């Protein structure tokens, strides 16, 4: 990887990770009806990174988000952290996979990507809730989590679409390499 591409990648990861931490702190201040139920504001930088960073960099961003959220919320060694990490990994991997399949063809917007991430996040958290915390009673919270996840996922996707269409800063960033790897990034980046 060239020095310029390496610096750009480091800058983007650092910026998006800092934005994740800021949005986590904002989200932490918002009251939650359940400890692991969140709006998902800290997923916005991950959503935005899909167009601008390769898959490996986005996965690193997800790891930084998870660690940062654990530190900010003080839940690093609790079941809440496990729920957050499981949901974040599932969400991030789902968004990366859907973007890899449909994103380059412009067949899916940020709304669809966000909904895919939200559904994966909620599913992962319900599975964890079933086996770690609530057992069979998980079925009672599942509808609430699924509906709230779809609402917040759609809202986050709508916001991302609006942000991308209006942001001169975001438009000035080069897109990730067509195949998402770092080798092509050196050639085309």
């Amino acid at each position: 990887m060239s020095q310029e591409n390496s610096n750009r990648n480091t800058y983007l990861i650092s910026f998006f990770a800092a934005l994740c931490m800021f949005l986590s702190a904002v989200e932490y201040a918002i009251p939650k009806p359940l400890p692991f139920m969140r709006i998902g504001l800290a997923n916005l930088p991950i959503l935005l990174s899909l167009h601008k960073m390769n898959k490996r960099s986005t996965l690193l961003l997800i790891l930084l988000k998870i660690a940062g959220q654990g530190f900010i919320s003080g839940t690093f060694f609790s079941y809440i952290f496990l729920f957050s990490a499981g949901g974040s990994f599932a969400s991030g991997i789902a968004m990366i996979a859907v973007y890899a399949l449909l994103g380059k063809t412009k067949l899916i917007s940020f709304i669809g990507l966000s909904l895919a991430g939200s559904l994966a996040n909620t599913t992962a958290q319900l599975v964890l809730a079933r086996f770690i915390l609530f057992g069979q009673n998980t079925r009672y919270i599942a509808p609430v989590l699924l509906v709230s996840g779809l609402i917040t996922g759609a809202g986050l996707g709508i916001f991302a679409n609006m942000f991308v269409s209006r942001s001169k800063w975001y438009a000035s960033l080069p897109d990730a390499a067509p195949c998402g790897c770092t080798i092509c990034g050196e050639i085309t980046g």
Side-chain angles (χ1 to χ4, degrees), residues 49-95:
S49 76
L50 295 172
H51 282 52
K52 303 300 180 181
M53 297 186 329
N54 62 41
K55 294 174 191 123
R56 186 172 18 159
S57 297
T58 300
L59 286 171
L60 176 59
L61 177 61
I62 293 165
L63 282 172
L64 292 170
K65 173 194 173 262
I66 291 168
Q69 280 183 321
F71 284 122
I72 287 171
S73 65
T75 60
F76 218 98
F77 298 105
S78 71
Y79 74 92
I80 295 171
F81 176 76
L82 184 62
F83 279 71
S84 178
S88 291
F89 272 124
S91 174
I93 290 169
M95 288 190 294

Side-chain angles (χ1 to χ4, degrees), residues 99-114:
Y99 183 72
L101 292 172
L102 301 172
K104 303 295 183 187
T105 62
K106 307 289 185 200
L107 292 176
I108 192 161
S109 69
F110 282 111
I111 298 169
L113 290 169
S114 183

Side-chain angles (χ1 to χ4, degrees), residues 36-39 43 83-84 86-92 94 114-130 138 141-153:
F36 46 87
M37 189 175 188
R38 295 198 164 98
I39 296 172
N43 289 321
F83 279 71
S84 178
S88 291
F89 272 124
S91 174
S114 183
L115 286 171
S118 177
L119 183 60
N121 181 308
T122 303
T123 302
Q125 288 188 349
L126 287 171
V127 168
L128 288 169
R130 164 77 169 83
T138 301
I141 63 167
V144 173
L145 291 178
L146 287 168
V147 169
S148 67
L150 290 175
I151 291 169
T152 59

